[in-house]
Amino acid sequence: QNPNSRRFPLMKGLTEISPKSLKGEKQMEYSVPFKWAICAASVSLLLAIQGNCMAEETNVLELDKNLSSYEWKEREQAAESIAQLGKAAKITIPSLIERLKDEEWQVRKAAANALGSMGTEAKTAVSPLIGALGDEEWHVREPAAYALAAIGPASVPAVTALIKALHDEEWRVRKPAALALEAIGLASKPALPFLIELLDDAEWQVRKAGIQALGTLGPSAREAIPALEKKLSDDENQVQIEAVKALNKIKMNRREK
């Protein structure tokens, strides 16, 4: 009889280990308990993971509920917490869309940020985010533009609104507007002349974003070549680097054609 079956009752009747397959009694004493320890640890890990998933789901549902709280601070905090969870909290997207029209701009800002954290999962929010680009507070317009950039090509309906945002009085809005056009890709070609104008923006971060958007357009942005070549001597090194990249994309693609 396997001596381990007396010392470890759970093993009894499950298996018998032949001493011939073992090199010694010492190995017999530790090999089987070790295997059971591994199994026990695996089960504990799986249960812990399951418990964490359930707790996270409960937390998301609670946050979704808090988005409708009477206290605007609670609504804001709920949206900020959702932003930290990102796509794991995508079930809150409908509620976040509603918060884009909240009476408090801090809540609208937090909701736009949270939608941006969802990436492409938030494509149903494109139309409401277009509306947010016209918000009276630039603190809301900025994250709305970033959210459209995060959504990517599905934000194509926002091209016209983004072109308008390129002329926003706040540079922190102009920059993500250009980045959103870059993320949309070739479908943002109607913005070409406005992106060229953006290369003379007073803020270098805006100029850089505009150049990145032009580079994405490839050969269709060939009319931007003269303006891009001027940026090779821009005061900011990062703008110069992006100009080189954009020119390479445009000219390389033209040669390939």
Side-chain angles (χ1 to χ4, degrees):
Q1 183 180 9
N2 186 347
N4 286 295
S5 63
R6 293 193 300 271
R7 296 169 60 193
F8 304 96
L10 287 175
M11 290 174 51
K12 189 173 182 180
L14 292 178
T15 183
E16 288 293 331
I17 297 179
S18 172
K20 295 181 180 179
S21 66
L22 303 171
K23 294 181 179 179
E25 184 178 352
K26 190 172 183 179
Q27 184 171 350
M28 183 184 295
E29 290 178 359
Y30 293 102
S31 60
V32 176
F34 180 73
K35 292 177 181 178
W36 277 98
I38 291 296
C39 290
S42 299
V43 171
S44 297
L45 179 60
L46 289 172
L47 289 174
I49 292 174
Q50 182 181 21
N52 288 336
C53 289
M54 292 177 66
E56 184 175 281
E57 183 178 354
T58 301
N59 183 43
V60 171
L61 292 174
E62 185 66 24
L63 290 173
D64 189 55
K65 179 181 178 182
N66 289 343
L67 286 173
S68 301
S69 171
Y70 287 110
E71 297 292 333
W72 73 266
K73 265 294 183 183
E74 287 188 10
R75 299 196 299 274
E76 179 189 25
Q77 291 170 0
E80 290 176 343
S81 296
I82 289 171
Q84 296 296 318
L85 295 174
K87 294 180 180 180
K90 63 182 180 180
I91 62 171
T92 64
I93 289 177
S95 298
L96 290 170
I97 290 175
E98 291 182 13
R99 289 306 101 209
L100 288 178
K101 296 182 179 180
D102 197 279
E103 59 185 10
E104 298 291 340
W105 70 262
Q106 293 93 332
V107 179
R108 300 196 299 274
K109 171 188 175 182
N113 273 322
L115 287 169
S117 73
M118 306 288 178
T120 55
E121 295 288 346
K123 58 185 178 181
T124 57
V126 169
S127 181
L129 286 168
I130 291 174
L133 282 178
D135 196 281
E136 62 183 5
E137 291 285 343
W138 73 262
H139 296 89
V140 179
R141 300 195 299 273
E142 178 189 22
Y146 274 117
L148 289 167
I151 292 171
S155 292
V156 65
V159 169
T160 300
L162 289 168
I163 289 175
K164 183 178 179 181
L166 293 178
H167 299 91
D168 196 283
E169 62 183 5
E170 177 55 55
W171 73 266
R172 293 177 181 83
V173 178
R174 299 195 298 273
K175 174 186 174 182
L179 294 177
L181 290 167
E182 176 193 12
I184 290 171
L186 293 175
S188 65
K189 186 179 177 181
L192 177 58
F194 306 101
L195 290 170
I196 293 176
E197 291 178 4
L198 207 65
L199 301 189
D200 291 324
D201 196 278
E203 295 291 337
W204 70 267
Q205 293 187 50
V206 179
R207 299 197 299 275
K208 177 184 175 183
I211 292 173
Q212 291 175 230
L214 287 169
T216 301
L217 294 175
S220 64
R222 55 185 176 274
E223 66 183 86
I225 290 178
L228 286 170
E229 288 178 336
K230 290 181 180 179
K231 295 297 106 180
L232 294 176
S233 57
D234 193 274
D235 293 336
E236 288 291 335
N237 184 54
Q238 291 190 45
V239 175
Q240 295 176 26
I241 293 173
E242 290 302 326
V244 172
K245 291 179 182 178
L247 286 167
N248 284 337
K249 289 178 182 178
I250 296 171
K251 294 180 178 180
M252 184 183 300
N253 288 329
R254 288 177 67 193
R255 288 195 294 269
E256 288 176 355
K257 285 192 170 186

